[in-house]
Amino acid sequence: MPILLFHLYEWHFLSVAVNLIVLPLFGRVIFPLVIIGVIVGLVAETLVLPIDMFLHIFNDGLNAVSRLPGMLTFGKPALPIVLIMLAVTMLLAVVDRVRAPKLIGILAAVYLVTYCWIHFPLNGEVTMFDIGQGDSFLIREPFNRSVTLIDTGGKVQFNTQPWQKGAQTYQAKRLSINYLKSIGISKIDNLCVSHQDSDHCGDLPAFIEEMEIKRIIIPLGMDQNPSFMKRIANRSRSTKVIPVTDETQVPGLPAQIFHPYLAGKGENHDSMVIGTQKGGLRWLFTGDLDRPGELDTLQRHPGLSADVLKVGHHGSKTSSDPQFIATVKPRIALISAGRNNRYGHPNDETLVTLKQHHVKIFNTQKHGVVRYIYRNNTGHFETVLAGHEGNL
């Protein structure tokens, strides 16, 4: 169990019972059938069909059990804690009955303290995921009081023929969702979708499948977009879909909405703009909002400013109007764009504008994952660069 938690972050309550049943069955039935199937298959392929059918039924049965209620998202314990868990577990196999209850108590205490440490962290964080050409941001408050995700990322498909569409794969399962589970998160309070583009919400079905989502917050009018609504068709009945404008106040959302102010289809110029204050810094997330939209937002919200700006449209020259940058006065810019992307993001014109206003730039292409870890009104930025990520 410690090894599983260190690598998978989850544990199913039925796993012990299933292992007690499956392990003897595997050694006495499954493995011999596989060997027989290989040998028989060399003689006549049709004779293998009954064995193949039985193995499929066995595998489907295990998958059905794994989908039953009882999955616990524990999080990733630190390596020294894993070693302690393993050592105490091994000692239980050799100590006498008098000492065993004490060791069991110690082991239970280690699990409990580790679980609480992961699930009720003292620090909060604002994280820009390195997902390639797209956007995905996490805002997690201390003690996990609130978990908010802004966009999910996703792959953009170009000229894909129907016969080329196989089983849908979502990179969020191995990136952002994997990270969330490692820090003990299985529930998202607010999932904000800036607009309909695939690189912002294409992986939304994966979050619906893997996570409990309380609210999906979208720009007004996108609830009338059939393409987007199809993405969230499998959501839980308890998940609320909330269309918003800049006049909407969503209870429990630790942020203010500054755009849109009219109903749209969920296109770039309809992007939802969200502002929040975390760790002593003011943050502004602009989706793919274009320059006219930026100026309209300033006109509707005079005095809008931010210490940290999520640069619009991955650094494209269609966003980051010089007047907008001069008025908002960010000290730090976040750019999420894929390495070697076909669009040339971020655009040189945008980078020049940011440098002229002395804005420090964090770019996923160069820095990978960017996290701001904070407590109360102070915090620090840290980056994690993995060479195999972000190449989209």
Side-chain angles (χ1 to χ4, degrees):
M1 183 173 173
I3 295 173
L4 288 174
L5 292 179
F6 186 73
H7 290 284
L8 302 178
Y9 326 130
E10 294 180 306
W11 183 75
H12 203 291
F13 286 109
L14 296 176
S15 61
V16 174
V18 170
N19 281 331
L20 291 174
I21 297 171
V22 169
L23 287 177
L25 186 64
F26 186 87
R28 297 173 184 176
V29 179
I30 303 301
F31 188 69
L33 277 178
V34 172
I35 299 298
I36 293 171
V38 172
I39 296 173
V40 171
L42 297 175
V43 179
E45 291 185 5
T46 55
L47 297 177
V48 184
L49 294 180
I51 298 176
D52 182 65
M53 184 179 298
F54 175 81
L55 293 176
H56 273 293
I57 293 173
F58 178 76
N59 185 64
D60 291 341
L62 290 180
N63 289 334
V65 171
S66 70
R67 289 191 291 269
L68 291 174
M71 182 66 78
L72 172 68
T73 301
F74 188 94
K76 183 177 181 178
L79 182 58
I81 300 298
V82 172
L83 296 177
I84 292 172
M85 291 174 174
L86 288 172
V88 176
T89 303
M90 291 177 181
L91 282 175
L92 280 170
V94 297
V95 300
D96 54 40
R97 294 182 179 180
V98 177
R99 297 179 181 178
K102 288 186 176 181
L103 286 177
I104 292 174
I106 292 172
L107 187 60
V110 171
Y111 275 103
L112 180 60
V113 171
T114 303
Y115 179 87
C116 291
W117 183 260
I118 293 172
H119 283 254
F120 303 99
L122 300 177
N123 297 325
E125 67 175 283
V126 181
T127 296
M128 175 170 64
F129 293 112
D130 182 16
I131 57 163
Q133 187 65 22
D135 272 7
S136 188
F137 296 84
L138 168 67
I139 302 174
R140 180 181 61 81
E141 295 185 336
F143 303 102
N144 283 346
R145 288 191 301 263
S146 173
V147 176
T148 299
L149 195 77
I150 303 174
D151 288 335
T152 66
K155 294 181 180 179
V156 180
Q157 305 291 340
F158 294 97
N159 302 321
T160 303
Q161 301 298 320
W163 62 269
Q164 294 175 302
K165 297 181 180 179
Q168 182 68 54
T169 58
Y170 301 103
Q171 67 169 358
K173 288 187 176 183
R174 66 178 181 85
L175 295 177
S176 49
I177 291 176
N178 203 38
Y179 174 76
L180 292 175
K181 289 182 178 181
S182 75
I183 58 176
I185 292 176
S186 59
K187 177 182 177 181
I188 298 174
D189 297 300
N190 308 289
L191 202 163
C192 303
V193 181
S194 65
H195 63 298
Q196 68 162 353
D197 286 358
S198 295
D199 58 337
H200 288 253
C201 66
D203 282 357
L204 185 50
F207 283 87
I208 291 174
E209 178 184 344
E210 297 281 340
M211 296 269 167
E212 178 185 348
I213 303 173
K214 188 174 181 180
R215 291 180 288 260
I216 298 176
I217 302 170
I218 60 177
L220 182 66
M222 211 159 82
D223 53 322
Q224 303 301 316
N225 185 318
S227 176
F228 172 76
M229 294 306 292
K230 184 178 179 181
R231 281 199 173 106
I232 62 175
N234 293 328
R235 67 189 183 279
S236 169
R237 291 183 178 180
S238 62
T239 301
K240 297 180 180 179
V241 179
I242 305 178
V244 298
T245 67
D246 62 344
E247 296 180 348
T248 306
Q249 293 184 350
V250 182
L253 176 65
Q256 181 179 351
I257 299 165
F258 293 104
H259 192 271
Y261 52 90
L262 298 173
K265 297 179 181 179
E267 298 174 340
N268 285 359
H269 58 269
D270 303 320
S271 286
M272 180 164 49
V273 175
I274 298 176
T276 188
Q277 186 163 336
K278 292 287 177 285
L281 298 178
R282 294 161 299 167
W283 303 72
L284 193 64
F285 302 87
T286 60
D288 280 358
L289 189 64
D290 56 14
R291 291 191 178 195
E294 292 173 341
L295 299 180
D296 286 344
T297 301
L298 289 179
Q299 186 175 1
R300 286 181 62 86
H301 300 277
L304 179 63
S305 62
D307 299 300
V308 184
L309 172 68
K310 199 294 295 187
V311 175
H313 204 179
H314 322 287
S316 167
K317 62 183 178 181
T318 60
S319 300
S320 301
D321 187 281
Q323 183 180 339
F324 178 76
I325 300 299
T327 303
V328 174
K329 298 178 181 178
R331 295 189 288 114
I332 297 170
L334 303 178
I335 299 177
S336 180
R339 299 176 184 88
N340 305 312
N341 66 81
R342 66 174 63 199
Y343 311 100
H345 295 161
N347 187 267
D348 289 340
E349 183 177 330
T350 300
L351 296 177
V352 169
T353 298
L354 294 172
K355 290 178 181 178
Q356 286 176 343
H357 290 85
H358 310 289
V359 182
K360 180 178 180 179
I361 299 172
F362 283 108
N363 184 350
T364 54
Q365 296 172 334
K366 297 180 179 180
H367 301 102
V369 176
V370 179
R371 293 192 299 178
Y372 180 72
I373 306 298
Y374 71 89
R375 186 183 300 182
N376 298 323
N377 289 320
T378 59
H380 66 276
F381 282 92
E382 58 185 40
T383 62
V384 181
L385 179 62
H388 62 286
E389 307 298 0
N391 293 306
L392 296 174

